[in-house]
Amino acid sequence: MKRIKEKILKVFFSDTWLGAILWFAAAAAMLALLVWFLVYSGFGEPAMPVYENF
């Protein structure tokens, strides 16, 4: 397990095209999570009263 972790860290922090792709994928995933949270999750909307569903 430690060998795999070291191998991933070596590629992730290397100056190669694969390292750049991994950084881009990580940044895109974080940006997608941020967009989902701010746009689609309903963050900041007032809570709906419970009795409104009945």
Side-chain angles (χ1 to χ4, degrees), residues 1-12:
M1 187 71 171
K2 192 173 184 175
R3 238 183 344 182
I4 295 172
K5 180 183 173 186
E6 289 174 3
K7 198 175 208 181
I8 290 172
L9 288 176
K10 184 179 178 183
V11 173
F12 199 79

Side-chain angles (χ1 to χ4, degrees), residues 5-50:
K5 180 183 173 186
E6 289 174 3
K7 198 175 208 181
I8 290 172
L9 288 176
K10 184 179 178 183
V11 173
F12 199 79
F13 292 109
S14 67
D15 193 19
T16 63
W17 59 270
L18 184 57
I21 291 173
L22 288 174
W23 274 107
F24 179 77
M30 286 186 242
L31 183 63
L33 184 63
L34 183 65
V35 167
W36 172 82
F37 181 72
L38 294 176
V39 175
Y40 296 110
S41 72
F43 176 74
E45 293 179 3
M48 186 174 56
V50 175

